[in-house]
Amino acid sequence: METVGASELPVTTIVIGLLGGLALFLFGLETLSQGLRSVAGDSMRRVLAALTGNRFVGAFTGAVVTAVIQSSSVTTVLVVGFISAGIMTLAQGVGVIMGANIGSTVTAQLVAFKITEAALPLITVGFAVVFMARNEVVKHWASVVLGLGFVFLGMDMMSDAMAPLRGSPEFREAVATLQQPVWGVLAGFIFTAVVQSSAATLGIIITMASQGLIPLDAGIAVLLGANIGTCATAILAAIGRPREAVRAALAHILFNVIGVIAWLPFIAQLEAMVVGLTPGNPAREIANAHTLFNVINVAVMIWFTGPLTRLILWLVPERPVMPGEEERPRPRYLDTALLESPPAALDAVRLELGDLGQRVRRMLVAVLPAATQGSRPALEAVARMDVAVDALYESVMDYLRRIGGRTLTRTQATAYIGLMEAARGLESIGDLVETDMVTIGRRRLEEKVAISDHSARQVADLHAKVLDALDGTLEAVRAGDLEAARRVIAMKADISAQVQRATRHGAARLLAHEPNRVAAYTREMELIEQLRRIYYFCKRICRALADPQPVYEEEPPRDAAAE
């Protein structure tokens, strides 16, 4: 074969072709994974939440979910949310993250088919269906086909661009240095860290191996480096995020780094294994090496999740809450990475609203004793609790705004409307407590009013029923429990009856010969009215969740007898 000198290489053509092919390849992967996430996102989230009972089941589930949605980052972020919510332990989450590494190898297996002649037909069919179809599910599957076509077209362009390198002695010398494991690992690490995609590195390695431009041992060394390079993405994604997210990222980093270090002396053995599996097929050998690397690592390290978890907790301990930090908390679940998967993002909003709702509940629990018999400092403490509620509400609404900019299915759009209504309703309940009920308590103190024990019991009975309604509302919001929402709506008659009893009692007490009886009656009726209005917001939230149509019901008049 005639050799080509460095000065004779069409460098510009090679670079443009390689970068253009890489751009098409990455665009295709993103289109493919976005289509799969849209099709399978709802069900995969439920599977991941349900099937993580132990580390082995968790690893299997993480592999399956990541293989289907083609995004280990989304799987990891879901795990962070479940750990934060107490649905799974950190040890179980580590198992899922290990499994996600296996699921991510499906991309390399897919690319190794290298059916370049099918690229244009796949693009043609995929685009035509996306353009003409009206059914959303069909459109998403067509996006999968379209993305697959771009992946293969990008591979073909990279292959054509690198063909002249086959005769370059300078290039062969450069590739020879990659056969030194340390240099190969370093090259894979740097390239992957720069392009932020291990799939891109694997795509280029597979293309080069198919062209005979890189020997198998050098390709394996580079792919090992790519596994460390992908940790750069995890590190960047963990900056500024909650402790649970940092720990999940650290689990991913430790798994990959320990695995690569352990395999460095055994590259020759790994090479022999993959050659024995698929002799004469360089692309498949690279893909199989990537899969075997992760499968064997998981099979070994899954037994050490306990020590690994303890190491992670030691490296990332709980951070003490600084003074004033609790007054304006940061959201725990609203991760920007989840915006790529609307079902997962909507679930994050549910979790965050659950946290916001618990804060509102604590306000409602604390305000009654403060308003009926508490001191001014007790009332001010309740009012300050609304600062956290307002801060989380703003974060939730901004996150919902960003979700609204994505393409949503009809089911997702319905859930989106319900969560918007839930956020507004919970924030309104917080405002009722902070503004109206606290003000009633302040007026009681100014007027030196004493509410009788019997009247206090009437208000307390209504307060307990409204608190039950709020609990059911929070269950409906956080778990998407429509039955809980219907139970809250069905409480209307019971709440109305309790309001009527309290109102009649107040009217009877108005006749009593007591000091400040009119002022006491006024404050009692005001408390009853605010509790009734809180139930109204609970009912409105539950109607929005149970009914696919938006709720435009007018707020009821501020009359304690009206319901």
Side-chain angles (χ1 to χ4, degrees), residues 350 472-487 542 545-546:
R350 290 186 187 279
T473 302
L474 295 182
E475 181 64 23
V477 171
R478 184 162 189 147
D481 189 341
L482 298 186
E483 188 56 39
R486 295 186 186 100
R487 285 196 299 270
C542 290
L545 296 172

Side-chain angles (χ1 to χ4, degrees), residues 319-328:
R319 184 170 61 89
V321 178
M322 303 302 292
E325 203 171 44
E326 179 61 22
E327 293 187 358
R328 190 172 181 84

Side-chain angles (χ1 to χ4, degrees), residues 37-171:
R37 288 198 294 271
S38 298
V39 170
D42 292 296
S43 57
M44 288 300 102
R45 187 270 308 169
R46 290 192 291 271
V47 168
L48 188 59
L51 299 179
T52 53
N54 60 59
R55 55 189 170 179
F56 301 103
V57 176
F60 174 77
T61 308
V64 171
V65 169
T66 306
V68 172
I69 65 177
Q70 284 295 288
S71 177
S72 59
S73 62
V74 170
T75 304
T76 301
V77 172
L78 285 172
V79 167
V80 170
F82 293 145
I83 293 172
S84 301
I87 297 173
M88 68 172 66
T89 65
L90 177 60
Q92 291 169 336
V94 168
V96 176
I97 292 167
M98 287 183 181
N101 281 271
I102 296 177
S104 65
T105 66
V106 171
T107 302
Q109 294 291 346
L110 188 66
V111 168
F113 282 109
K114 207 173 178 297
I115 315 171
T116 53
E117 62 272 11
L120 292 179
L122 287 172
I123 292 172
T124 302
V125 172
F127 177 79
V129 176
V130 167
F131 184 73
M132 293 186 294
R134 294 292 176 263
N135 183 282
E136 291 175 337
V137 175
V138 173
K139 278 178 172 285
H140 293 318
W141 279 115
S143 295
V144 173
V145 173
L146 181 64
L148 196 58
F150 277 118
V151 164
F152 291 138
L153 182 61
M155 293 280 290
D156 193 38
M157 286 184 63
M158 288 191 290
S159 179
D160 290 344
M162 288 188 289
L165 296 174
R166 194 178 307 161
S168 169
E170 291 85 355
F171 179 77

Side-chain angles (χ1 to χ4, degrees), residues 428-486:
S428 296
I429 292 172
D431 285 345
L432 283 177
V433 172
E434 183 262 341
T435 302
D436 297 271
M437 297 186 76
V438 168
T439 299
I440 292 168
R442 289 171 181 152
R443 288 173 180 167
R444 173 186 62 79
L445 291 171
E446 292 167 1
E447 297 165 347
K448 297 181 173 57
V449 168
I451 296 176
S452 70
D453 291 341
H454 198 276
S455 296
R457 282 197 298 273
Q458 290 287 331
V459 177
D461 288 343
L462 177 59
H463 177 267
K465 291 186 182 297
V466 172
L467 197 58
D468 287 343
L470 180 59
D471 286 339
T473 302
L474 295 182
E475 181 64 23
V477 171
R478 184 162 189 147
D481 189 341
L482 298 186
E483 188 56 39
R486 295 186 186 100

Side-chain angles (χ1 to χ4, degrees), residues 174-473:
V175 169
T177 63
L178 300 180
Q179 292 180 274
Q180 298 295 321
V182 173
W183 290 110
V185 168
L186 184 62
F189 165 74
I190 293 173
F191 185 80
T192 304
V194 170
V195 300
Q196 293 286 290
S197 172
S198 59
T201 306
L202 286 166
I204 291 176
I205 296 171
I206 289 172
T207 301
M208 292 175 67
S210 301
Q211 288 273 3
L213 295 174
I214 188 171
L216 182 56
D217 56 348
I220 290 174
V222 174
L223 77 84
L224 291 180
N227 278 274
I228 298 180
T230 194
C231 296
T233 305
I235 293 169
L236 292 174
I239 295 174
R241 291 171 64 191
R243 270 339 208 201
E244 292 87 352
V246 176
R247 289 168 181 160
L250 185 58
H252 175 64
I253 293 166
L254 289 174
F255 175 84
N256 283 5
V257 171
I258 292 172
V260 169
I261 293 172
W263 272 106
L264 272 177
F266 303 105
I267 289 178
Q269 286 76 10
L270 182 57
E271 180 183 4
M273 278 192 286
V274 296
V275 169
L277 287 172
T278 52
N281 188 339
R284 185 61 58 195
E285 287 166 359
I286 293 290
N288 287 343
H290 187 223
T291 301
L292 281 173
F293 165 79
N294 283 286
V295 169
I296 295 173
N297 281 353
V298 170
V300 173
M301 294 181 66
I302 195 72
W303 299 97
F304 299 96
T305 53
L308 188 62
T309 300
R310 288 191 291 272
L311 175 61
I312 291 169
L313 290 174
W314 180 73
L315 291 171
V316 188
E318 290 293 341
R319 184 170 61 89
V321 178
M322 303 302 292
E325 203 171 44
E326 179 61 22
E327 293 187 358
R328 190 172 181 84
R330 293 194 305 173
R332 297 173 62 189
Y333 308 104
L334 306 183
D335 198 300
T336 54
L338 287 177
L339 293 170
E340 296 300 320
S341 178
L346 291 171
D347 278 329
V349 173
R350 290 186 187 279
L351 292 172
E352 201 65 56
L353 285 178
D355 190 13
L356 186 155
Q358 286 302 318
R359 293 174 184 274
V360 171
R361 188 187 192 281
R362 289 196 290 271
M363 290 180 68
L364 182 57
V365 169
V367 75
L368 187 64
T372 57
Q373 58 189 20
S375 62
R376 188 170 294 276
L379 290 166
E380 297 307 323
V382 174
R384 284 196 301 272
M385 294 168 72
D386 193 52
V387 174
V389 171
D390 287 342
L392 287 180
Y393 169 73
E394 290 173 8
S395 298
V396 167
M397 294 304 290
D398 181 65
Y399 195 77
L400 282 168
R401 176 188 62 80
R402 297 168 73 180
I403 294 175
R406 307 279 168 159
T407 301
L408 303 178
T409 65
R410 187 172 290 104
T411 301
Q412 292 161 5
T414 299
Y416 176 82
I417 292 171
L419 292 175
M420 289 276 284
E421 188 63 40
R424 287 195 295 266
L426 291 173
E427 196 267 344
S428 296
I429 292 172
D431 285 345
L432 283 177
V433 172
E434 183 262 341
T435 302
D436 297 271
M437 297 186 76
V438 168
T439 299
I440 292 168
R442 289 171 181 152
R443 288 173 180 167
R444 173 186 62 79
L445 291 171
E446 292 167 1
E447 297 165 347
K448 297 181 173 57
V449 168
I451 296 176
S452 70
D453 291 341
H454 198 276
S455 296
R457 282 197 298 273
Q458 290 287 331
V459 177
D461 288 343
L462 177 59
H463 177 267
K465 291 186 182 297
V466 172
L467 197 58
D468 287 343
L470 180 59
D471 286 339
T473 302

